[in-house]
Amino acid sequence: MDNAFDAQRPIYIQLIERVKTRIVSGEYPPGEQIPPVRELADASGVNPNTMQKALAELERDGLLTVQRTVGRFVTGDEDLIAKLKAELAQTHIARFLREITALGIDAGDAIRLLTDYIGRQKEEI
Amino acid sequence: MDNAFDAQRPIYIQLIERVKTRIVSGEYPPGEQIPPVRELADASGVNPNTMQKALAELERDGLLTVQRTVGRFVTGDEDLIAKLKAELAQTHIARFLREITALGIDAGDAIRLLTDYIGRQKEEI
Amino acid sequence: MDNAFDAQRPIYIQLIERVKTRIVSGEYPPGEQIPPVRELADASGVNPNTMQKALAELERDGLLTVQRTVGRFVTGDEDLIAKLKAELAQTHIARFLREITALGIDAGDAIRLLTDYIGRQKEEI
Amino acid sequence: MDNAFDAQRPIYIQLIERVKTRIVSGEYPPGEQIPPVRELADASGVNPNTMQKALAELERDGLLTVQRTVGRFVTGDEDLIAKLKAELAQTHIARFLREITALGIDAGDAIRLLTDYIGRQKEEI
DNA sequence: GTGGTCTAGACCACC
DNA sequence: GTGGTCTAGACCACA
């Protein structure tokens, strides 16, 4: 399912995050064309205007380029993508650490808990 | 600052999370009285009714008990608190892992990045 | 326990009901003296003033008579007591039937449920 | 009249009881939509916030479900409703019996008085 | 037009 | 001074 949104945050923001994630993960490779707005909107179950709004912001950030009458393309600037990836990773890490230490769990225990969790996940497979 | 809220999510939900965090971290120890509604509301810069709504839900969950005309107390049930702590930790971990792997970073790299981050933090001190 | 009050209704009203019930049930027989205010108040865990207020209303209704310097007595008018008993019974019956029919249960089923309940109660003994 | 409340008990509690009664009696059938908050509030002569509070508790109990921007619906779980009906009936019966026996009337007489009352009611028709 | 949230301000019971 | 309730009125997201 692609159409599960946090009902409490603006959908277009969540769409931006999703597309960024796809670019960074390589699902949308650098330089490649992405699906048309309508298709993306359909797949996520949102209004095309909402999807449009999300993509426009990504264009402003330089992550997407638009070729009129052709479509949208992921930037070919792989450094930019790598930078975004590192930035997103740091954001997630910082947030995680902030949250977990607020519970009274120190960094060492956090790593241990995370390692355990990953171990358990593998077992499930 | 205590009064910085994510504008996109209900304040009372965020207040619930904050109080839970304080209980779990031991800032509000088991069996101890917590500050009065009005004071907490003031400290967070919200209306007393909003704080009331948050605390009512914590009472429903058994994390707080109310003694009318006296005040609110953290539950003395330390097992319940420990359970909550584990639950919150797992939630944060699961989320972190979901986010980081969505970027195309595998579990091993996640641990490495986290360890690096912690190392860098210590250096800053 | 005599000191369990519905926190939502005035205590003196609940005291009136209790004393009426004792008169009607014969616990306080007609013409007999009842315990002094302070003792009653103590037994119910309420302030003597509150008990006083309740007894004053019963005196107004003719159910109690006061002999200064001696104490309070239940009325000797057994007809009045019988009338009160019938009246209280009808009140309870009417209320019960109103409540139970509001649930979509007809009078016949109400009698059946009541009979069942009594049967189950006896078994427990 | 829908707007007559016991001044001694919280209105929202009484609203909860009323809605429960309507669900149990079938006035609000399982799976069906109930009137909007504002309408219900109006009909009962209370503030919409007060009605909201009552309905929120019923939602927590699983008796109502909410579809945002659409409305509230009675649960489709007929077993849950049946269970509630039995529970409410038992509560009313227990209370009635407690009250009537406190008057010095035994269970057998209670049934007789109830039967008489019902007989008299029918005659009135 | 639906439910949901929030504020401001008032009043109450209890101790 | 504590928690609890209630109102009036406003604003928001969503479809």
Side-chain angles (χ1 to χ4, degrees), chain B residues 32-93:
Chain B
E32 296 276 305
Q33 185 167 5
I34 68 172
V37 188
R38 291 161 170 84
E39 195 175 309
L40 288 173
D42 221 53
S44 285
V46 301
N47 186 284
N49 287 327
T50 306
M51 184 56 78
Q52 173 92 7
K53 188 172 179 178
L55 298 180
E57 178 145 343
L58 291 166
E59 193 199 345
R60 250 176 267 126
D61 292 347
L63 291 166
L64 294 180
T65 59
V66 179
Q67 278 186 254
R68 274 208 174 222
T69 77
V70 180
R72 284 186 171 80
F73 298 78
V74 176
T75 178
D77 182 348
E78 304 203 20
D79 284 350
L80 182 62
I81 295 176
K83 203 178 135 197
L84 175 65
K85 183 169 181 170
E87 184 185 307
L88 290 176
Q90 293 302 308
T91 302
H92 292 320
I93 289 170

Side-chain angles (χ1 to χ4, degrees), chain C residues 112-125, chain D residues 97 107 111:
Chain C
R112 233 158 286 139
L113 285 169
L114 178 61
T115 311
D116 288 354
Y117 188 92
I118 292 167
R120 258 179 291 136
Q121 259 193 335
K122 279 186 185 154
E123 280 174 24
E124 284 174 20
I125 301 168
Chain D
L97 221 59
I111 294 178

Side-chain angles (χ1 to χ4, degrees), chain C residues 84-109:
Chain C
L84 174 64
K85 182 170 181 170
E87 184 184 306
L88 289 177
Q90 293 301 309
T91 303
H92 292 321
I93 289 170
R95 175 187 189 154
F96 169 62
L97 221 57
R98 182 166 26 84
E99 287 171 336
I100 208 89
T101 54
L103 299 181
I105 296 173
D106 67 28
D109 283 338

Side-chain angles (χ1 to χ4, degrees), chain A residues 107-120:
Chain A
D109 284 338
I111 293 177
R112 233 159 287 137
L113 284 169
L114 178 60
T115 311
D116 288 354
Y117 188 92
I118 293 167
R120 258 178 291 135

